[in-house]
PDB file of all heavy atoms in Angstrom:
ATOM      1  N   LEU A  17     -35.555  24.538  57.908  1.00  0.00           N
ATOM      2  CA  LEU A  17     -35.450  23.092  57.729  1.00  0.00           C
ATOM      3  C   LEU A  17     -35.856  22.320  58.981  1.00  0.00           C
ATOM      4  O   LEU A  17     -35.635  21.124  59.076  1.00  0.00           O
ATOM      5  CB  LEU A  17     -34.020  22.718  57.326  1.00  0.00           C
ATOM      6  CG  LEU A  17     -33.569  23.282  55.977  1.00  0.00           C
ATOM      7  CD1 LEU A  17     -32.112  22.949  55.722  1.00  0.00           C
ATOM      8  CD2 LEU A  17     -34.440  22.756  54.844  1.00  0.00           C
ATOM      9  N   PRO A  27     -35.222  31.967  62.925  1.00  0.00           N
ATOM     10  CA  PRO A  27     -35.450  32.069  61.480  1.00  0.00           C
ATOM     11  C   PRO A  27     -34.530  33.066  60.795  1.00  0.00           C
ATOM     12  O   PRO A  27     -34.076  32.844  59.679  1.00  0.00           O
ATOM     13  CB  PRO A  27     -36.914  32.506  61.393  1.00  0.00           C
ATOM     14  CG  PRO A  27     -37.536  31.995  62.646  1.00  0.00           C
ATOM     15  CD  PRO A  27     -36.462  32.115  63.700  1.00  0.00           C
ATOM     16  N   ARG A  37     -40.777  40.337  54.524  1.00  0.00           N
ATOM     17  CA  ARG A  37     -41.455  41.394  53.765  1.00  0.00           C
ATOM     18  C   ARG A  37     -42.541  40.824  52.856  1.00  0.00           C
ATOM     19  O   ARG A  37     -43.596  41.427  52.660  1.00  0.00           O
ATOM     20  CB  ARG A  37     -40.430  42.183  52.940  1.00  0.00           C
ATOM     21  CG  ARG A  37     -39.494  43.045  53.767  1.00  0.00           C
ATOM     22  CD  ARG A  37     -38.810  44.105  52.916  1.00  0.00           C
ATOM     23  NE  ARG A  37     -37.919  43.525  51.932  1.00  0.00           N
ATOM     24  CZ  ARG A  37     -36.617  43.317  52.139  1.00  0.00           C
ATOM     25  NH1 ARG A  37     -36.074  43.629  53.313  1.00  0.00           N
ATOM     26  NH2 ARG A  37     -35.864  42.810  51.185  1.00  0.00           N
ATOM     27  N   GLY A  93     -56.048  38.581  40.423  1.00  0.00           N
ATOM     28  CA  GLY A  93     -55.113  39.647  40.786  1.00  0.00           C
ATOM     29  C   GLY A  93     -54.556  39.563  42.188  1.00  0.00           C
ATOM     30  O   GLY A  93     -53.847  40.472  42.630  1.00  0.00           O
ATOM     31  N   PRO A 110     -44.624  18.603  46.700  1.00  0.00           N
ATOM     32  CA  PRO A 110     -45.732  18.589  45.719  1.00  0.00           C
ATOM     33  C   PRO A 110     -46.035  19.932  45.086  1.00  0.00           C
ATOM     34  O   PRO A 110     -46.807  20.019  44.129  1.00  0.00           O
ATOM     35  CB  PRO A 110     -46.922  18.100  46.551  1.00  0.00           C
ATOM     36  CG  PRO A 110     -46.579  18.444  47.962  1.00  0.00           C
ATOM     37  CD  PRO A 110     -45.094  18.293  48.063  1.00  0.00           C
ATOM     38  N   ILE A 123     -48.918  33.333  34.733  1.00  0.00           N
ATOM     39  CA  ILE A 123     -48.745  33.980  36.034  1.00  0.00           C
ATOM     40  C   ILE A 123     -47.256  34.067  36.362  1.00  0.00           C
ATOM     41  O   ILE A 123     -46.515  33.097  36.186  1.00  0.00           O
ATOM     42  CB  ILE A 123     -49.483  33.189  37.130  1.00  0.00           C
ATOM     43  CG1 ILE A 123     -50.996  33.291  36.905  1.00  0.00           C
ATOM     44  CG2 ILE A 123     -49.113  33.676  38.524  1.00  0.00           C
ATOM     45  CD1 ILE A 123     -51.798  32.238  37.623  1.00  0.00           C
ATOM     46  N   LEU A 135     -28.986  21.235  48.322  1.00  0.00           N
ATOM     47  CA  LEU A 135     -27.815  22.005  47.922  1.00  0.00           C
ATOM     48  C   LEU A 135     -26.823  22.182  49.065  1.00  0.00           C
ATOM     49  O   LEU A 135     -25.611  22.119  48.860  1.00  0.00           O
ATOM     50  CB  LEU A 135     -28.230  23.364  47.369  1.00  0.00           C
ATOM     51  CG  LEU A 135     -28.948  23.334  46.023  1.00  0.00           C
ATOM     52  CD1 LEU A 135     -29.317  24.742  45.580  1.00  0.00           C
ATOM     53  CD2 LEU A 135     -28.081  22.663  44.964  1.00  0.00           C
ATOM     54  N   PRO A 201     -16.594  -1.065  49.001  1.00  0.00           N
ATOM     55  CA  PRO A 201     -15.824  -0.445  50.094  1.00  0.00           C
ATOM     56  C   PRO A 201     -15.208   0.903  49.752  1.00  0.00           C
ATOM     57  O   PRO A 201     -15.089   1.778  50.616  1.00  0.00           O
ATOM     58  CB  PRO A 201     -14.734  -1.488  50.389  1.00  0.00           C
ATOM     59  CG  PRO A 201     -15.310  -2.777  49.934  1.00  0.00           C
ATOM     60  CD  PRO A 201     -16.154  -2.447  48.735  1.00  0.00           C
ATOM     61  N   ILE A 223     -17.165   3.812  52.209  1.00  0.00           N
ATOM     62  CA  ILE A 223     -17.986   2.794  52.869  1.00  0.00           C
ATOM     63  C   ILE A 223     -17.145   2.004  53.870  1.00  0.00           C
ATOM     64  O   ILE A 223     -17.596   1.701  54.988  1.00  0.00           O
ATOM     65  CB  ILE A 223     -18.612   1.844  51.823  1.00  0.00           C
ATOM     66  CG1 ILE A 223     -19.654   2.597  50.987  1.00  0.00           C
ATOM     67  CG2 ILE A 223     -19.240   0.620  52.496  1.00  0.00           C
ATOM     68  CD1 ILE A 223     -20.839   3.130  51.769  1.00  0.00           C
ATOM     69  N   ASN A 235     -34.885   9.097  62.940  1.00  0.00           N
ATOM     70  CA  ASN A 235     -35.825  10.223  62.983  1.00  0.00           C
ATOM     71  C   ASN A 235     -35.152  11.586  62.803  1.00  0.00           C
ATOM     72  O   ASN A 235     -35.668  12.604  63.273  1.00  0.00           O
ATOM     73  CB  ASN A 235     -36.632  10.215  64.287  1.00  0.00           C
ATOM     74  CG  ASN A 235     -37.829   9.288  64.192  1.00  0.00           C
ATOM     75  OD1 ASN A 235     -38.239   8.883  63.104  1.00  0.00           O
ATOM     76  ND2 ASN A 235     -38.390   8.940  65.327  1.00  0.00           N
TER      77      ASN A 235
END
Side-chain angles (χ1 to χ4, degrees):
L17 296 176
R37 290 198 294 268
I123 292 162
L135 291 180
I223 292 298
N235 276 344

